[in-house]
Amino acid sequence: MREVLLVRYGEVFLKGTNRPYFMNKLVSHVREAVKPIHGRVWLSEGRIYVSDFTDMQACIDRVTRVFGVHSVSPAIEMDKDDFEAICRQAAEMMQGMSGTFKVLARRSDKRYPLDTPAIMREAGGYILTHVPGLEVDVHHPEHEMMIEIRDHAYLSVLRYPGTGGMPMGTNGKACLLLSGGIDSPVAGYMIAKRGVEICCVHYHSFPYTSERAREKVLELARELSEYCGEIRVYVVPFTEIQMAIHEKCPDNHTTLIMRRYMMRIAEKLAEKENAQALITGESIGQVASQTMDALVCTNQVVSMPVFRPLIGMDKSEIIALAESIGTYATSSLPYEDCCTIFTPKHPTTHPRIEQMERSEKALPMEELIERAIEGTVVETVLPGQSGI
Ligand code: ATP
Ligand code: MG
């Protein structure tokens, strides 16, 4: 008898003839996730199993974060021949629980002496008489004891929800514009969850923004890497561009021109990375630079698709997501972002593309972009190094 984890996967089921491809990715990501705690991972009859881990809770935490995992249950794997021992074990696992329950059974070993209704009936009856405080409710039970008869018997009662989504790396690559704020890590998470590999670009305006602000962004990237695996972060020096915009462009256009430079540089770096799209944390109307007119101006300078998964979300909804994925605390640290320095008093909220283009004429665009890219530093962050 030993403890194993039963891993269920969701949408992966749907992928028809591509199924082996999705499954191989998923299994290899589960394997990677449990490597530091020495888990052994195998696939059998529509489930992924993990055994031989050193720490059950750590194993659950790691596996539930793998995109594509629907839910995880700690289970007892035991000899299937002694049915009474199975009933005893099931009752022991339910001791201390109260309310309603039912037993569910599955049997892939069709030669097993009891069929599924008999397993449910016998085990249910045993639990009812041996665990005080539990009643049967077959329609809406609070607890479900699952007994699966395969090569062994597997018993599980707890179920931890996984993140869902699609296995990482099954859907191309995109480049996330990662600031130190609340929104952009959530945006990156949402796209990565659909199986998209991500890399990050961060604009840093040293000495106006501090080393701690840069470190905060790397910590956010580390937190994302707990879900996505290794991530490359391009840290782009942005001071020269900001100073030039500040000196040469009308005050009410500076924020948007800065945003346009961010997009242009991100697209160039994305091409280098073979990424096919950009991701931002923008949401309609959140700030002056995210009105519909402003978004149109920002979008106009790039030809890659720009994914804005938060576009229709309220700040409170974004915060709830940030909390649930574990990035909120780091995002809330007070260090300044390059957007907040040189902020104009009256930024335009209804800009027009022609106005932006006219204002930008004063800048040596190619040169500025080239120098920023030349000065870019690439950092690599890995899972297992963040505080979440
Ligand atoms: P966030 O919480 O993500 O910082 P925000 O509400 O502060 O968003 P803005 O500062 O206008 O909004 O930025 C909009 C988007 O532009 C961000 O979500 C992010 O994708 C990108 N962005 C802003 N600042 C930076 C930066 N310094 N480096 C990289 N991307 C940035
Ligand atoms: Mg921001």
Side-chain angles (χ1 to χ4, degrees):
M1 190 160 86
R2 62 173 180 172
E3 285 185 313
V4 299
L5 275 195
L6 268 178
V7 183
R8 302 176 192 84
Y9 39 89
E11 210 171 330
V12 192
F13 261 132
L14 302 172
K15 299 299 166 192
T17 50
N18 285 327
R19 197 157 163 231
Y21 170 72
F22 284 92
M23 283 314 303
N24 282 341
K25 289 268 187 200
L26 181 59
V27 170
S28 81
H29 294 320
V30 173
R31 205 162 265 148
E32 248 161 64
V34 299
K35 209 194 233 163
I37 44 174
H38 309 291
R40 194 169 80 77
V41 176
W42 77 99
L43 180 67
S44 169
E45 301 180 48
R47 288 261 196 289
I48 298 169
Y49 294 83
V50 188
S51 66
D52 302 302
F53 37 76
T54 48
D55 177 339
M56 165 76 87
Q57 195 53 49
C59 197
I60 293 170
D61 290 347
R62 283 165 178 274
V63 176
T64 49
R65 275 194 211 125
V66 174
F67 293 133
V69 168
H70 184 72
S71 67
V72 171
S73 290
I76 295 292
E77 179 191 82
M78 59 191 293
D79 189 9
K80 64 185 171 184
D81 294 332
D82 183 351
F83 187 69
E84 202 178 317
I86 292 175
C87 291
R88 271 200 308 275
Q89 179 61 33
E92 193 185 314
M93 287 163 77
M94 299 201 80
Q95 282 304 338
M97 293 184 181
S98 60
T100 56
F101 83 103
K102 83 171 177 187
V103 175
L104 283 170
R106 271 213 196 138
R107 188 180 70 138
S108 64
D109 173 5
K110 299 297 174 202
R111 287 170 309 175
Y112 198 66
L114 294 167
D115 62 8
T116 44
I119 296 170
M120 294 193 280
R121 197 178 53 241
E122 297 290 320
Y126 189 95
I127 292 168
L128 199 59
T129 49
H130 289 83
V131 185
L134 277 180
E135 278 171 48
V136 175
D137 178 347
V138 290
H139 300 295
H140 304 288
E142 288 163 74
H143 311 287
E144 282 182 354
M145 165 53 71
M146 174 65 114
I147 301 178
E148 302 185 40
I149 307 291
R150 299 168 184 263
D151 53 334
H152 288 84
Y154 293 91
L155 279 61
S156 60
V157 64
L158 297 175
R159 195 182 271 238
Y160 295 83
T163 47
M166 304 295 301
M168 174 53 55
T170 55
N171 237 326
K173 189 170 187 178
C175 178
L176 168 68
L177 282 83
L178 181 63
S179 72
I182 295 163
D183 307 330
S184 45
V186 176
Y189 171 88
M190 285 174 74
I191 298 299
K193 184 178 161 189
R194 298 305 302 165
V196 179
E197 198 184 327
I198 58 171
C199 58
C200 299
V201 178
H202 175 65
Y203 300 94
H204 184 243
S205 298
F206 193 77
Y208 299 98
T209 58
S210 63
E211 193 49 40
R212 284 190 309 182
R214 182 174 179 277
E215 187 39 48
K216 168 183 171 181
V217 170
L218 291 177
E219 176 60 16
L220 286 170
R222 270 180 222 118
E223 290 168 359
L224 283 179
S225 80
E226 302 292 355
Y227 302 92
C228 308
E230 181 177 312
I231 299 178
R232 259 198 303 283
V233 184
Y234 288 81
V235 182
V236 182
F238 208 53
T239 318
E240 190 190 359
I241 293 177
Q242 281 200 296
M243 298 294 276
I245 296 172
H246 186 60
E247 274 164 29
K248 305 241 171 70
C249 303
D251 205 39
N252 59 341
H253 291 174
T254 53
T255 308
L256 266 182
I257 294 176
M258 187 186 80
R259 309 264 324 118
R260 283 157 65 93
Y261 269 80
M262 285 184 177
M263 300 300 275
R264 290 181 178 114
I265 294 172
E267 187 175 51
K268 284 212 158 37
L269 293 172
E271 276 162 6
K272 256 195 193 180
E273 275 272 324
N274 288 325
Q276 298 145 293
L278 303 178
I279 308 167
T280 76
E282 290 159 313
S283 148
I284 293 180
Q286 194 188 74
V287 286
S289 59
Q290 294 172 29
T291 62
M292 182 69 86
D293 291 326
L295 288 169
V296 168
C297 283
T298 309
N299 211 60
Q300 182 241 346
V301 298
V302 289
S303 53
M304 266 184 194
V306 181
F307 297 149
R308 298 179 172 90
L310 313 183
I311 198 73
M313 289 171 74
D314 293 351
K315 195 73 185 188
S316 57
E317 294 169 314
I318 301 169
I319 288 175
L321 257 175
E323 278 172 337
S324 78
I325 65 173
T327 54
Y328 184 69
T330 304
S331 288
S332 304
L333 296 172
Y335 317 127
E336 66 297 334
D337 180 65
C338 73
C339 294
T340 52
I341 55 171
F342 309 123
T343 312
K345 275 212 181 65
H346 302 290
T348 175
T349 48
H350 297 290
R352 294 213 324 275
I353 287 172
E354 313 79 68
Q355 292 172 336
M356 289 300 124
E357 286 176 340
R358 221 173 304 128
S359 300
E360 277 178 352
K361 281 228 168 75
L363 303 169
M365 184 170 84
E366 304 285 323
E367 273 174 60
L368 285 173
I369 291 180
E370 206 168 291
R371 271 203 295 278
I373 290 179
E374 261 172 35
T376 295
V377 176
V378 190
E379 304 268 2
T380 301
V381 297
L382 296 166
Q385 297 176 347
S386 83
I388 65 170

